[in-house]
Amino acid sequence: MVVLGIESSCDETSAAVVVDGREVRSNVVASQIPIHARYGGVVPELASRAHVLDVIPVIEKALAEAAIELRQVDGIAVTSGPGLIGSLLVGIEVAKALAFRINKPLVGVNHVEAHLMAPFVAVDEGWDPPCFPALGLAVSGGHTSLVRIDGYGQYQVVGQTRDDAAGEALDKVGKALGLGYPGGVFIDRLGASGNPSALDFPRAMRRKGNFEFSFSGLKTSVMTHLGKLDHLPQGEELADLCASVQEAVVDVLVYKAVAAAKAEKLRCVLLTGGVSANRRLRTKMMAACRKAGIAACVPPRSLCTDNAGMVAGLGFHALSGLSPEERTGFHSFDVGARSSWPVGT
Ligand code: KG4
Ligand code: ZN
């Protein structure tokens, strides 16, 4: 089944062609980073306008790269939440128009669930293949959740952040340090040459059996540290600060993911979401899982940050679950945008 995926929930416009939920024929991403960088964060109205300009060229490019014509698409999957309403609506309305045009089914998918199931797309040699039941860690700019996954559509949230998402905390620290946007990417880059134990930032809520997260204390602690300095760190001092902040975030994510997998008796951890592109997190998660005898599935970085490949991958399972009548044509006028959409509901 050839699925066209469309993603526009935040600041990336993306389209992908994925065959049978596994084979990524194309995965095109138009990033809006240059537009939002000067504000240090996503400006929703600017995001919607950029999606309007990018969405059709991105879809055309995805089809061309896959050497697929629109009429050869068997179904369309679009992110319908959670996300920015104006941004979501752009992808959804275009998806509806295309599905209506080719008279094929359309499904709306949950963005966080698409992140969680990304390791099942483009399964590669060189990393542990994912399996059910698994413990998924979705860690992005908007979400930090530990989810027990028993199969497609079978999700149970084990723990999540009470305040900032991990990526959000990294981005805010990056902004305070005068780094570029998004801060997480710069902290990864600069932290690589720093000393992760140079500064001791808090690792919150590390009590046994507690799978909730909190990152606002870490952010405050960095701001307090900066407030005591009479200058913005540069060079080695900046590298050490980035490495130490990154280490505090990574330690908590790794510790809780492995502890939750053990508590739920799960043999497989799926590391997903934009922050899972972080090299220190990938390395430490794989090492900790290996030590605990748990498989660590860490998808390629292109499937970690926002992309439509993961949307098409998850959409395939929804589309192939439709009845034969539902599969024959377009009937999905009711797919709508949801700013909030808890996993598994
Ligand atoms: O999944 P994503 O692309 O969008 C959301 O759904 O939020 O995640 C974006 C987040 C941002 O906070 C960004 O700073 C973070 O992922 N991020 C990283 C890295 N690449 C992206 N954080 C740390 N290290 C990275 N290499
Ligand atoms: Zn995302």
Side-chain angles (χ1 to χ4, degrees):
M1 177 185 265
V2 178
V3 177
L4 172 66
I6 300 174
E7 155 68 38
S8 68
S9 64
C10 190
D11 59 344
E12 263 101 20
T13 320
S14 180
V17 174
V18 177
V19 178
D20 293 339
R22 284 279 171 100
E23 189 193 330
V24 181
R25 293 271 183 91
S26 63
N27 195 4
V28 177
V29 180
S31 170
Q32 301 178 2
I33 285 174
I35 296 172
H36 304 291
R38 57 192 288 222
Y39 305 101
V42 178
V43 182
E45 183 57 27
L46 294 181
S48 315
R49 292 179 193 198
H51 286 304
V52 169
L53 296 177
D54 287 336
V55 69
I56 299 293
V58 163
I59 292 170
E60 282 174 344
K61 190 159 182 234
L63 291 169
E65 275 185 17
I68 289 280
E69 288 185 30
L70 185 59
R71 60 181 172 77
Q72 293 173 291
V73 168
D74 298 306
I76 300 181
V78 64
T79 301
S80 58
L84 303 169
I85 288 293
S87 294
L88 287 165
L89 281 172
V90 176
I92 291 170
E93 294 313 315
V94 167
K96 277 184 192 169
L98 295 179
F100 181 75
R101 170 75 183 80
I102 58 175
N103 196 28
K104 291 285 167 56
L106 167 72
V107 289
V109 308
N110 181 307
H111 179 83
V112 183
E113 292 176 11
H115 271 306
L116 285 167
M117 305 313 270
F120 291 88
V121 180
V123 173
D124 196 0
E125 289 169 18
W127 48 288
D128 293 328
C131 59
F132 297 128
L135 191 278
L137 169 62
V139 59
S140 71
H143 308 273
T144 306
S145 306
L146 285 168
V147 182
R148 184 191 164 98
I149 307 169
D150 285 291
Y152 282 95
Q154 295 170 264
Y155 313 104
Q156 198 188 320
V157 177
V158 176
Q160 55 196 332
T161 184
R162 292 201 182 164
D163 39 56
D164 288 357
E168 185 181 359
L170 290 172
D171 293 347
K172 286 177 180 168
V173 167
K175 191 173 177 184
L177 288 171
L179 307 180
Y181 173 80
V185 176
F186 287 84
I187 288 173
D188 182 347
R189 207 174 292 158
L190 290 164
S193 60
N195 172 8
S197 11
L199 296 157
D200 189 20
F201 290 118
R203 276 86 166 142
M205 304 174 96
R206 276 192 65 162
R207 280 189 314 282
K208 197 165 181 277
N210 180 338
F211 304 123
E212 302 285 295
F213 298 91
S214 168
F215 291 104
S216 65
L218 168 65
K219 191 187 62 193
T220 309
S221 175
V222 176
M223 300 304 166
T224 307
H225 173 77
L226 290 178
K228 287 184 194 151
L229 301 176
D230 56 2
H231 60 278
L232 259 189
Q234 302 286 339
E236 199 179 324
E237 189 185 10
L238 177 60
D240 285 350
L241 178 54
C242 289
S244 302
V245 172
Q246 177 174 265
E247 201 71 357
V249 172
V250 167
D251 274 356
V252 174
L253 294 172
V254 171
Y255 171 81
K256 298 227 171 198
V258 173
K262 283 185 184 164
E264 292 283 324
K265 299 190 171 33
L266 303 170
R267 310 304 319 152
C268 180
V269 167
L270 314 178
L271 179 58
T272 70
V275 179
S276 64
N278 182 273
R279 289 168 296 171
R280 185 78 175 158
L281 175 59
R282 294 163 81 87
T283 307
K284 288 196 93 174
M285 186 67 85
M286 284 194 275
C289 285
R290 200 176 309 119
K291 197 167 162 214
I294 298 169
C297 305
V298 184
R301 286 157 67 118
S302 59
L303 286 169
C304 292
T305 45
D306 285 353
N307 70 94
M310 66 182 192
V311 175
L314 181 59
F316 163 74
H317 292 274
L319 288 162
S320 52
L322 295 176
S323 67
E325 304 82 63
E326 287 170 326
R327 280 208 223 175
T328 52
F330 177 76
H331 43 73
S332 327
F333 290 103
D334 58 343
V335 173
R338 300 174 66 172
S339 58
S340 155
W341 186 357
V343 167
T345 60

